[in-house]
Amino acid sequence: MAEKKSEAKSDAKPEGAAEAPKKGGKKFALITVALLAIEGGVLFAVFSMGAPKHAEAGSPPPLEVLAADEVKFVELSVFEDRVSNDASGVTYQYKADIHLKVRKDQETEFSAEVSDSKNEVREELVGIFRTAEPQHFQEPLHETLRRRIESKLRERFEKMKTKDHKPFVVERVLVVIGSGIRVSR
C-alpha cells in the first residue's frame, strides 16, 4: 500500500503547476484558417461584383461664349466709411472700403439697386464688422471678413433681376480694410 501511495504522489502535480496544453489546438487552428479563407473569398466576390463595367467621359455642357465686349467688368463702390469693433474689450476703428466687381452691361441697373438699398446694406455690413473676432482684422488678406461680406452681398443682389429678367452677376467682392486705430482704453 505504501508503494501505491508513492506512485500516486509521483503522478500528482506539484501545487501551482500549470496544466499541459490539450491536444485540440491543431483542430482550432485549421478551423480558424478555413473561416478566414472563406471570409476572404466572400469579400473578394462582393467587391469584384460592384466594380463599374465601363466608364465613359462625357463632354462638358457647352459654355455660353461671350463676345469680348460683354466680358468686361467694372467696380462699384458699395460702402466707404469707418467702422468700429470692440469684441476684444477695447474699441478699434477701421477704415473700410467695399466694392463689387459687376458686369459692365449691368452697371447702371446695379448702381440704382445699390443706391436704393444703401442704408440696408450699410446696416448689414456694420453688423458684420461689429460681430467680427479681433483676429479677423489681423489676417493679411482679411479672408474671413471678405467671405462673410461676399456671402451677404451675393445673397442680397444675385436674387434680383435686371430689366431683361437676367440675374445680376457679382464677379467678385473687394474688401479693403485699413489698420485699426484704438479709440478707447
Side-chain angles (χ1 to χ4, degrees):
M1 193 152 254
E3 289 177 13
K4 286 185 179 179
K5 282 186 178 181
S6 63
E7 285 179 27
K9 282 186 179 180
S10 63
D11 289 340
K13 295 180 188 167
E15 288 182 30
E19 284 188 31
K22 295 186 179 181
K23 291 190 176 186
K26 286 184 181 179
K27 252 193 225 179
F28 178 74
L30 287 174
I31 291 173
T32 303
V33 168
L35 287 174
L36 286 173
I38 291 170
E39 182 182 3
V42 167
L43 287 175
F44 176 77
V46 167
F47 285 120
S48 65
M49 288 173 35
K53 303 296 181 209
H54 183 66
E56 284 186 30
S59 61
L63 297 174
E64 182 182 332
V65 179
L66 300 173
D69 296 338
E70 293 180 308
V71 179
K72 292 185 180 178
F73 291 93
V74 294
E75 293 178 10
L76 291 177
S77 177
V78 177
F79 181 83
E80 289 183 32
D81 202 359
R82 294 198 174 273
V83 293
S84 60
N85 179 281
D86 61 355
S88 65
V90 177
T91 304
Y92 286 93
Q93 201 170 56
Y94 301 90
K95 179 159 179 18
D97 295 330
I98 300 171
H99 302 274
L100 295 177
K101 197 170 184 181
V102 298
R103 294 175 69 146
K104 181 140 179 80
D105 59 338
Q106 296 178 345
E107 179 181 11
T108 56
E109 292 179 63
F110 217 105
S111 294
E113 286 294 331
V114 168
S115 64
D116 288 347
S117 59
K118 195 165 191 110
N119 288 326
E120 290 175 354
V121 170
R122 179 180 168 75
E123 176 187 39
E124 291 171 352
L125 295 177
V126 167
I128 289 173
F129 282 109
R130 285 192 178 161
T131 60
E133 295 294 321
Q135 64 265 21
H136 296 165
F137 292 99
Q138 303 304 318
E139 294 175 357
L141 299 175
H142 304 289
E143 284 297 315
T144 305
L145 285 171
R146 189 193 56 76
R147 279 193 304 269
R148 288 181 65 192
I149 292 168
E150 184 172 4
S151 171
K152 184 60 80 176
L153 292 177
R154 283 186 188 275
E155 178 184 310
R156 170 174 283 285
F157 291 116
E158 287 188 343
K159 65 183 177 185
M160 296 179 182
K161 305 279 186 195
T162 64
K163 291 177 184 174
D164 302 339
H165 301 290
K166 292 181 182 178
F168 282 125
V169 177
V170 176
E171 172 69 16
R172 187 164 178 226
V173 176
L174 306 166
V175 178
V176 180
I177 302 172
S179 58
I181 299 170
R182 186 176 180 167
V183 291
S184 72
R185 295 178 188 236

